[in-house]
Amino acid sequence: MKLRQRIVLTLVGITVILAIPAAYGLLALRGLHDITDRLSEQRVVTGTLGDLRNAVETARDAQRRYAVLAPLADPALGGNPRDTVQTRVQADSAVREATRTLELLRTQNDGAYAGASLPVVRTWSEITAGIRRERTLLEAGQRDSAEAVRRALEQQFGAMDPQLDEVDRAIANQTGRDLEQAESVASRAASTTLVALALALAATLIIGTLLTRTLLRPIALLRRGMASVAEGDFDPHVHIPRERPDELGDLARSFGTMTSQLRELDRLKAEFVSVASHEIKTPLSVIRGYVTLLADGIYGEVNDQQKKTLEAVSTQTDRLTRLVHRLLDVSRFEAGGARLELREIQLRAFFEELTGDFRVLAVQNGIHFPVSLSDDLPPTLVGDEDRLNEVLGNLLSNAFKFTPKEGTIRVEAARCDGGVQVEVEDTGVGIPADKLPHVFEKFYQVDNDAQPRSVGSGLGLAIAREIVEAHGGTIGAESEVGRGTRFRVFLPERPPAAGHA
Ligand code: ATP
Ligand code: MG
């Protein structure tokens, strides 16, 4: 799967995971909303119930008054027919109002307390029937019967109150239950949403971390590989599966192709250097030979001017020959084709000869040149004498190159854990810390104010390291600018490949 698809899928996944608690929270809110709707309905019903109480009370009073006034309606009896009619109209209207309010209560009241209002409806229909009967009797002048109905009516009105109280209680109970339910829904929603949110966040974190790791790990590996290539290692081990189907797999494949091409180029370059150096070597020795013949006067007398010129040609030819030899050495070592001529080296004689060559130079430059061979120095060591001479010769020639007059160059050799350790220390210009790691690279020369680019090819230490490592040894350097440099070479008593003769 391509990276873009993977990122989009991950984002969709995270959105879905976060949407679950949000959806749950919304559902819980809807539940709460229904409950609050019910609670406000209950408030309205309670209001209507209050209105009903008042209307029933008004109807009761009006009917009572009418019952008192009706027998006195006759003017002969001292009554006022208008008052009677008016009272009757008031009573009628009060009864209608109560009936209407009761109807309203019934339409609003289809909830859990519907049952509680049934007795009220029944009693009210008995009351209205009673009122009708009382009026008929009153208007027919049957006072006694009307009186009996009146008593029954009072009892029915009296029964209404507790029945209305019962409805009130039913509403209050339902309100209490709804409040409890609202409380439990709210607290359950809060805790469930919190847990769901925590789980969603954890899942998001895990998914995010996994995605980041699948992206960042190969990028870090590639970055390390690139850094190795930049430092000259064209065969870095980058463990990104090349068959990965995404863009990182493409990158890994391109990186692999790039490094193999770089390796091929490097091989071609070494091959070219080796072939070219080899081809240059022969004409150079021919030139050197003819120059010597000319200088020796074999082809006739040479004057002083010509002699000087021939000497210059000869010096430059020697320099060129040395450079070609060194180039050949480097390319042979790099190709693994250099062979060591191993034999037993008498160490004291070896150091005697090596340092003897430099003593004259030391005297000429006024340099203090102590050589100390410790008493425990092994008498012999198996190695390629010429090559080791080249290594230490280069260290010494560097030391002489970079140590001013009156300085000190010290050579120390001692036994060391299965071999010999040689130190060449000088009090010369020193090497800056940021340059020190590069001095063993091919063609590298420090170039700064304290040490302008010196005469030389910058190959001496590169070859020295190859030679020492081919002997199974190590070479390192410490330095401080302005105070001096110390090279330390460790050589095992015999190279690992030499076996135990
Ligand atoms: P070549 O040895 O090939 O003739 P070179 O001496 O310049 O040339 P290396 O011996 O490889 O090359 O040394 C590399 C560089 O390290 C030198 O050019 C110099 O800048 C620095 N260097 C080596 N030895 C010392 C030293 N003792 N003191 C200060 N700088 C040194
Ligand atoms: Mg050198």
Side-chain angles (χ1 to χ4, degrees):
M1 197 189 294
K2 292 283 177 197
L3 280 184
R4 197 147 46 111
Q5 290 164 317
R6 200 178 289 191
I7 291 171
V8 169
L9 265 183
T10 309
L11 289 180
V12 169
I14 289 174
T15 314
V16 169
I17 290 173
L18 287 176
I20 292 171
Y24 182 81
L26 278 178
L27 276 179
L29 272 181
R30 266 196 68 177
L32 275 179
H33 186 256
D34 290 349
I35 295 171
T36 40
D37 268 1
R38 267 208 318 269
L39 284 172
S40 65
E41 271 169 24
Q42 282 157 22
R43 222 182 47 201
V44 173
V45 174
T46 311
T48 312
L49 196 66
D51 291 347
L52 180 63
R53 273 185 203 279
N54 292 338
V56 167
E57 203 51 46
T58 312
R60 178 193 212 165
D61 287 349
Q63 184 59 25
R64 262 189 203 151
R65 250 183 294 127
Y66 177 70
V68 174
L69 287 181
L72 306 174
D74 191 350
L77 292 173
N80 182 348
R82 269 186 57 209
D83 280 356
T84 311
V85 172
Q86 207 173 350
T87 311
R88 185 190 162 130
V89 169
Q90 280 171 354
D92 279 348
S93 127
V95 168
R96 270 200 308 277
E97 178 60 22
T99 308
R100 197 187 57 76
T101 313
L102 186 59
E103 258 329 291
L104 184 66
L105 183 74
R106 282 181 62 185
T107 56
Q108 290 169 344
N109 173 9
D110 55 354
Y113 37 85
S117 55
L118 283 179
V120 177
V121 174
R122 214 177 303 126
T123 308
W124 182 250
S125 75
E126 283 169 17
I127 286 174
T128 48
I131 287 173
R132 273 195 305 276
R133 218 173 321 125
E134 187 184 24
R135 283 188 187 175
T136 315
L137 290 172
L138 282 172
E139 280 156 19
Q142 297 177 11
R143 281 189 178 195
D144 292 340
S145 306
E147 188 55 37
V149 172
R150 164 114 302 270
R151 275 196 299 276
L153 258 179
E154 281 303 327
Q155 267 179 10
Q156 282 157 341
F157 271 117
M160 265 299 253
D161 267 345
Q163 286 170 352
L164 287 171
D165 287 347
E166 192 50 45
V167 178
D168 226 353
R169 247 194 314 279
I171 294 172
N173 284 345
Q174 181 60 34
T175 307
R177 275 197 300 275
D178 282 347
L179 279 176
E180 257 173 41
Q181 195 187 349
E183 224 166 82
S184 97
V185 166
S187 81
R188 215 175 40 229
S191 54
T192 316
T193 310
L194 266 182
V195 171
L197 206 64
L199 288 176
L201 282 179
T204 307
L205 215 69
I206 292 170
I207 294 176
T209 313
L210 284 178
L211 178 74
T212 321
R213 275 187 61 179
T214 53
L215 291 183
L216 288 190
R217 257 182 56 191
I219 290 175
L221 285 173
L222 269 173
R223 203 192 53 186
R224 236 175 290 149
M226 289 285 189
S228 301
V229 171
E231 279 172 13
D233 174 10
F234 299 149
D235 196 11
H237 296 290
V238 177
H239 302 289
I240 306 175
R242 293 188 183 190
E243 55 286 352
R244 257 181 92 126
D246 57 13
E247 290 86 341
L248 288 168
D250 295 345
L251 260 179
R253 281 189 290 281
S254 308
F255 183 76
T257 316
M258 181 187 82
T259 49
S260 70
Q261 282 181 355
L262 280 174
R263 278 198 300 279
E264 179 60 11
L265 279 175
D266 203 39
R267 194 190 62 74
L268 285 174
K269 184 199 73 187
E271 201 176 289
F272 169 76
V273 170
S274 159
V275 171
S277 322
H278 197 76
E279 292 303 315
I280 295 169
K281 228 168 59 174
T282 321
L284 271 180
S285 59
V286 174
I287 295 169
R288 181 75 170 86
Y290 280 122
V291 170
T292 312
L293 290 177
L294 278 172
D296 288 351
I298 303 291
Y299 301 120
E301 252 337 278
V302 280
N303 62 27
D304 281 354
Q305 180 66 37
Q306 289 165 334
K307 212 173 207 153
K308 262 194 191 152
T309 312
L310 286 172
E311 266 168 21
V313 173
S314 157
T315 315
Q316 293 307 321
T317 315
D318 285 349
R319 269 189 76 183
L320 204 53
T321 312
R322 263 202 316 278
L323 175 62
V324 166
H325 276 284
R326 296 203 143 177
L327 278 173
L328 261 176
D329 274 349
V330 173
S331 51
R332 277 201 200 118
F333 271 111
E334 279 185 350
R339 295 247 320 265
L340 297 178
E341 300 285 335
L342 297 179
R343 60 194 146 87
E344 210 156 70
I345 306 170
Q346 300 297 323
L347 283 178
R348 283 182 189 274
F350 172 79
F351 280 108
E352 239 1 273
E353 193 185 319
L354 171 75
T355 53
D357 293 346
F358 287 92
R359 277 197 201 287
V360 188
L361 204 59
V363 173
Q364 277 172 358
N365 292 338
I367 282 180
H368 189 46
F369 186 41
V371 176
S372 117
L373 305 179
S374 94
D375 293 340
D376 65 357
L377 186 72
T380 59
L381 177 141
V382 176
D384 186 326
E385 191 164 351
D386 290 342
R387 294 288 194 185
L388 292 180
N389 201 341
E390 196 181 331
V391 171
L392 297 173
N394 181 54
L395 294 185
L396 278 170
S397 84
N398 284 351
F400 276 94
K401 233 183 326 185
F402 299 110
T403 306
K405 278 194 182 350
E406 309 299 324
T408 302
I409 296 173
R410 178 178 290 115
V411 177
E412 282 179 13
R415 176 190 288 278
C416 168
D417 206 15
V420 173
Q421 178 162 291
V422 187
E423 283 184 8
V424 177
E425 189 181 356
D426 64 53
T427 56
V429 294
I431 304 168
D434 59 324
K435 309 265 166 42
L436 195 60
H438 301 291
V439 294
F440 293 100
E441 288 168 12
K442 285 176 289 180
F443 304 110
Y444 187 84
Q445 292 188 302
V446 178
D447 187 10
N448 57 18
D449 292 345
Q451 196 190 116
R453 203 171 272 275
S454 61
V455 185
S457 56
L459 285 170
L461 287 176
I463 295 175
R465 185 169 65 177
E466 298 283 5
I467 295 174
V468 170
E469 286 177 358
H471 279 83
T474 54
I475 182 168
E478 297 160 15
S479 188
E480 204 177 315
V481 173
R483 303 205 59 164
T485 309
R486 178 195 294 151
F487 280 90
R488 189 175 283 142
V489 177
F490 166 76
L491 292 165
E493 273 182 53
R494 59 178 61 240
H500 293 271

